Each structure stands twice: as C-alpha cells, then as structure tokens.
C-alpha cells in the first residue's frame, strides 16, 4: 500500500483559492450560490427554483470530470474503504436529508454564505463544525483511540 505525503500549505492554499474563485465566478456571472446540495437537487428535479436546471446539471457533471482530470494528472492515493457499504450509504442519505433540512450544505453555507457574512450561514457553519467535532470525539472514544 502506498501512502501520500501530507499536503503542504501551498497546495492547500491553492485548493482553497480555486474553490473560492469558482464560487465567486458563479456568483458574479449568474448571481447564484455554489451550493452543491442545491445544485444536485435542481439537476435531478427535486427543487423547482434556483439555478437553471441545465446549468445545475452541467455543474454537477463537471464535478467528477474535474476530479478525474486532476487525479489523472497528479498522484493517486490508494483508497481503502474501512466501513461497511450499508453504513456509508446510510450516512450519505442522512447527510442529504440534513442538507435539505438546513437549506444548504457546507459548500453553500461554509464557502459562499460565510464569505457574504450571512447570519444564517454563520450559524449553520458553526453547527456543522461543532457536530463534526462531537462525532470525531465520540468515534475516537468508542474505538479507544
């Protein structure tokens, strides 16, 4: 099994800048927020308003294509799934349900909303972070790590 060297701060900074740039371009040119859950909901027809459906579909299709292009040109980690597939599917469904309940996900609230100083997004992002910290602490406690 090969391991990857930790990402250096410049790589992390570049990735963050690209995410912010993409969100800013979408907002500036279309007036829309780059929230992934909203884009997916619109692309598959769950949401009736928001980003035009064809634009949302292009955005959603472009995500894995962009990831593939980057992985084809850079080093690729060996991915090992250490949990059961039913648990992962259940977790994914719960995350999807939570994003619909919270009117957005970490990309919409955390990247776009916080940068606009939206009170609702600030509250949502604090909630996401605290819940994540609590789950990691609980998981580590349960496995004794």
């Amino acid at each position: 099994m090969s391991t990857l060297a930790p990402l250096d701060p410049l790589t992390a900074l570049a990735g963050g800048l690209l995410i912010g740039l993409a969100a800013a371009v979408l907002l500036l040119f279309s007036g829309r927020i780059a929230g992934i859950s909203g884009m997916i909901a619109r692309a598959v027809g769950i949401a009736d308003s928001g980003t035009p459906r064809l634009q949302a579909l292009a955005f959603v299709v472009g995500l894995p294509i962009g990831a593939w292009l980057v992985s084809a040109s850079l080093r690729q980690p060996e991915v090992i799934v250490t949990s059961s597939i039913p648990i992962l599917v259940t977790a994914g469904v719960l995350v999807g349900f939570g994003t619909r309940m919270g009117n957005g996900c970490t990309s919409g609230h955390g990247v776009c909303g916080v940068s606009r100083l939206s009170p609702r997004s600030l509250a949502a992002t604090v909630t996401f972070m605290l819940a994540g910290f609590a789950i990691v602490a609980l998981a580590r406690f349960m496995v004794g790590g």
Side-chain angles (χ1 to χ4, degrees):
M1 168 174 48
S2 65
T3 59
L4 293 176
L7 292 177
D8 63 274
L10 290 179
T11 303
L13 178 63
L17 288 173
L18 286 173
I19 291 169
L21 178 64
V25 166
L26 185 65
L27 183 61
L28 287 172
F29 288 107
S30 73
R32 302 290 179 190
I33 299 298
I36 306 306
S37 63
M39 292 285 196
I40 290 173
R42 184 67 178 122
V44 299
I46 297 173
D48 294 329
S49 63
T51 302
R53 190 164 186 197
L54 188 59
Q55 182 181 1
L57 188 59
F59 188 92
V60 170
V61 168
L63 287 174
I65 291 171
W68 178 79
L69 287 171
V70 169
S71 71
S73 61
L74 299 176
R75 63 183 193 243
Q76 295 182 19
E78 181 178 348
V79 178
I80 300 170
V81 178
T82 60
S83 187
S84 72
I85 298 299
I87 287 175
L88 293 174
V89 169
T90 301
V93 168
L94 289 172
V95 167
F97 180 72
T99 62
R100 296 303 292 166
M101 266 182 56
N103 287 326
C105 58
T106 52
S107 59
H109 285 301
V111 174
C112 300
V114 168
S115 65
R116 292 181 3 259
L117 299 177
S118 163
R120 183 176 79 161
S121 291
L122 290 166
T125 302
V126 167
T127 302
F128 297 153
M129 296 301 292
L130 291 176
F133 296 152
I135 294 298
V136 168
L138 179 64
R140 287 188 175 177
F141 175 76
M142 292 179 69
V143 295

